[in-house]
Amino acid sequence: MNELAAKRNAVTELMRISPLADDLAGLFAAAGHRLYLVGGSVRDALLGRLSSDLDFTTDARPDRVLEIVAGWADAVWETGIEFGTVGVTKRGSTLEITTFRADSYDRVGRNPEVTFGDTIEGDLLRRDFTVNAMAIDLSTKQFVDPHHGLDALAQRTLDTPATPQESFADDPLRMLRAARFVSQLGFEPAPRVVEAMTSMAGEIQRITAERVQTEVSKLLLGAHPRQGLELMVETGLATHVLPEVPGMRLAIDEHHQHKDVYQHSLTVLEQAIALEDGEPDLVLRLAALLHDIGKPATRKFESGGGVSFHHHEVVGAKMARKRLRALKYSKQIVDDVSQLVFLHLRFHGYGKGEWTDSAVRRYVTDAGPLLPRLHKLVRADCTTRNKRKAAALQRTYDELEERIARIEAQEDLARVRPDLDGNEIMKLLGLQPGPQVGEAWRFLKELRLDRGPLSHEEAVAELRRWAQERGIS
């Protein structure tokens, strides 16, 4: 991308939304103020991917911005006004207008002491990366690029306007943002950025778990998550954020050969992504990355040079749950990811199809609504270099999916329930609501999983037999 072509892309994109931007710029000019399209919006315009969520900056103070947009915006919100940001919506677009900033940081926490600036150049200097430190003066359509962000964009390089040490000391979250941009945009961090991330990785502990989680999620949902994760591991950032990932780098000696668990997990992540349907799937990607984190804790060297990882799926599920909770993920995500990690190995007991119908039902029931993701995770986990073995594994899983489909055609596997409900159980056994009803219900569900649907008479007979064995009249 040469400079002229890049600017032409930006202007083309700007013209696409120009009535909106021009209207807003006109309002600010009439009020004696300047307005700039800035940051990620300019970067995306240069890349030809400008969205309807736009970022602006201005010399007008927040109270003045509110006066200017009053009556023009469809809606206004002041959530970020203490940081100088006024949000507005107009014709379906979301616009954030922030007063020039010239903040200072105590370098203990992350939140700055907000100070408003007077120049666009001063505002751009405090931004995270040079590709985000460009602006377009909307009154003249001129570029403002004091830190050569356009060159960095053309070279797909990630660098900081100030020194990386200054930038990351002000806000350590920028180190994670660097890894996120590597994933999202395929950029290469400048050597000095990598060096600063490596020496300052521990500073990320100043950042709250919620903010860390947001960046980790964006990284995983990017187009190149493997590269972003590798940067985190290479610099030591992952040791403080996702320590289980670098923890999978196991030393392998010549007498005990096994896969490099870390590289294998990154490969599984990539293969799971290739199996996604449409939108990126955070739960699937987290499960793919973490599915083998229990291996280091369960590794055992066997006689004859073998290596085992017995019950690593059980240990891994507990570890995944603990890590995701620490990162403040939602209960649903924690439950789903840990359950996928727990179930990912079960298929390998399927062998040559000797599972009973009961085992198939339990596989489907235990997966529940996660079954489509489990299918993808298991297929992605078949990473052997032996092409014949890999093809055999895929064929075996094809057979399992076909078998599930055949049983589903006869039974509602998605909603396996006992053949008698709680009310019938209480009526037949003369019970009041209580623990015994729950025990009977679970017995009938296990029976249903083992034998498939029963007739009403069979279910009643089995319930009476169960009750008699326990002395329930």
Side-chain angles (χ1 to χ4, degrees):
M1 179 197 305
N2 61 46
E3 183 174 338
L4 182 61
K7 288 184 177 180
R8 189 178 295 119
N9 277 351
V11 172
T12 299
E13 284 294 290
L14 187 58
M15 292 306 293
R16 184 168 63 81
I17 54 95
S18 64
L20 193 62
D22 284 348
D23 285 355
L24 190 58
L27 290 175
F28 275 78
H33 295 283
R34 306 292 286 271
L35 186 71
Y36 300 81
L37 189 71
V38 72
S41 293
V42 175
R43 180 199 69 222
D44 289 343
L46 289 164
L47 293 172
R49 43 181 276 180
L50 189 62
S51 74
S52 58
D53 294 345
L54 303 173
D55 295 323
F56 300 89
T57 189
T58 179
D59 57 338
R61 297 302 192 251
D63 289 345
R64 186 72 174 124
V65 172
L66 288 172
E67 293 174 3
I68 293 171
V69 300
W72 177 82
D74 296 333
V76 178
W77 69 95
E78 302 178 25
T79 308
I81 200 163
E82 64 177 307
F83 297 106
T85 299
V86 173
V88 306
T89 57
K90 181 71 174 181
R91 297 200 294 270
S93 292
T94 301
L95 320 177
E96 288 196 347
I97 307 162
T98 303
T99 302
F100 293 159
R101 297 264 293 270
D103 303 333
S104 60
Y105 293 78
D106 62 12
R107 299 189 174 180
V108 175
R110 175 181 182 253
N111 292 334
E113 179 183 332
V114 177
T115 305
F116 297 130
D118 298 309
T119 67
I120 183 63
E121 291 79 12
D123 179 86
L124 296 177
L125 178 63
R126 54 166 288 279
R127 293 180 179 265
D128 54 3
F129 299 105
T130 59
V131 293
N132 296 329
M134 298 178 283
I136 299 176
D137 186 332
L138 293 175
S139 61
T140 63
K141 302 297 189 294
Q142 295 296 307
F143 273 77
V144 183
D145 184 17
H147 305 290
H148 310 291
L150 193 56
D151 291 339
L153 193 66
Q155 297 163 16
R156 308 193 76 77
T157 299
L158 208 58
D159 205 348
T160 52
T163 68
Q165 287 79 8
E166 291 177 281
S167 182
F168 299 157
D170 282 348
D171 184 359
L173 190 65
R174 290 172 175 172
M175 294 186 286
L176 261 184
R177 285 171 61 82
R180 189 245 289 186
F181 284 128
V182 166
S183 171
Q184 287 183 327
L185 302 173
F187 285 8
E188 184 77 21
R192 70 175 192 157
V193 169
V194 175
E195 182 182 343
M197 289 174 68
T198 304
S199 63
M200 302 177 68
E203 293 293 307
I204 196 66
Q205 294 176 94
R206 288 164 43 193
I207 305 302
T208 64
E210 290 84 355
R211 289 185 178 274
V212 168
Q213 179 237 100
T214 297
E215 292 299 325
V216 169
S217 296
K218 288 179 179 179
L219 183 157
L220 285 172
L221 292 172
H224 314 281
R226 180 173 191 149
Q227 287 85 333
L229 289 164
E230 286 175 335
L231 177 62
M232 286 178 61
V233 171
E234 174 190 348
T235 58
L237 203 57
T239 302
H240 303 283
V241 174
L242 282 169
E244 296 80 6
V245 174
M248 289 189 285
R249 294 184 296 180
L250 299 178
I252 304 174
D253 64 46
E254 59 181 330
H255 303 295
H256 295 88
Q257 291 295 318
H258 60 78
K259 289 178 182 176
D260 181 317
V261 181
Y262 166 65
Q263 291 296 333
H264 163 74
S265 297
L266 295 180
T267 299
V268 172
L269 172 60
E270 290 183 316
Q271 293 186 173
I273 291 170
L275 295 173
E276 287 177 341
D277 304 314
E279 292 298 309
D281 185 338
L282 180 61
V283 167
L284 177 63
R285 294 186 183 200
L286 280 166
L289 177 64
L290 302 178
H291 77 284
D292 272 349
I293 59 171
K295 278 191 169 181
T298 58
R299 181 172 63 164
K300 181 180 178 183
F301 295 118
E302 307 287 357
S303 59
V307 179
S308 65
F309 303 96
H310 294 308
H311 305 302
H312 76 267
E313 75 283 11
V314 178
V315 173
K318 292 178 181 177
M319 292 173 65
R321 182 176 293 278
K322 182 178 179 180
R323 176 53 50 199
L324 296 177
R325 280 176 173 168
L327 287 172
K328 307 296 185 183
Y329 276 99
S330 69
K331 183 180 184 301
Q332 188 68 60
I333 289 178
V334 172
D335 289 346
D336 288 352
V337 173
S338 58
Q339 181 70 349
L340 286 170
V341 172
F342 176 70
L343 292 174
H344 86 274
L345 202 62
R346 188 177 295 184
F347 158 71
H348 294 281
Y350 186 70
K352 297 179 180 179
E354 64 267 20
W355 273 11
T356 61
D357 284 355
S358 171
V360 175
R361 290 188 195 98
R362 290 179 187 279
Y363 188 73
V364 174
T365 300
D366 289 349
L370 294 172
L371 186 63
R373 286 181 172 127
L374 183 59
H375 288 333
K376 294 182 178 71
L377 177 59
V378 173
R379 289 185 179 279
D381 194 26
C382 298
T383 62
T384 175
R385 294 180 182 177
N386 184 321
K387 292 184 178 180
R388 183 176 298 177
K389 183 178 179 182
L393 284 169
Q394 296 290 355
R395 282 196 302 273
T396 303
Y397 206 84
D398 289 342
E399 292 168 7
L400 175 58
E401 287 203 62
E402 290 165 6
R403 192 169 171 192
I404 289 170
R406 285 198 302 273
I407 297 175
E408 276 185 325
Q410 301 165 1
E411 311 170 22
D412 185 5
L413 287 184
R415 298 183 62 186
V416 174
R417 300 182 65 81
D419 295 286
L420 304 175
D421 65 21
N423 290 326
E424 287 179 288
I425 291 170
M426 288 189 289
K427 182 178 180 180
L428 287 165
L429 300 184
L431 295 174
Q432 295 298 314
Q436 286 184 324
V437 178
E439 291 174 19
W441 190 93
R442 286 188 289 275
F443 162 73
L444 289 172
K445 180 173 181 179
E446 288 297 313
L447 196 65
R448 170 73 170 74
L449 287 168
D450 281 338
R451 290 167 48 179
L454 303 179
S455 69
H456 186 267
E457 292 76 14
E458 287 177 305
V460 170
E462 291 290 349
L463 176 63
R464 292 192 185 282
R465 180 184 59 77
W466 175 87
Q468 186 176 12
E469 289 175 354
R470 284 156 182 76
I472 302 172
S473 61

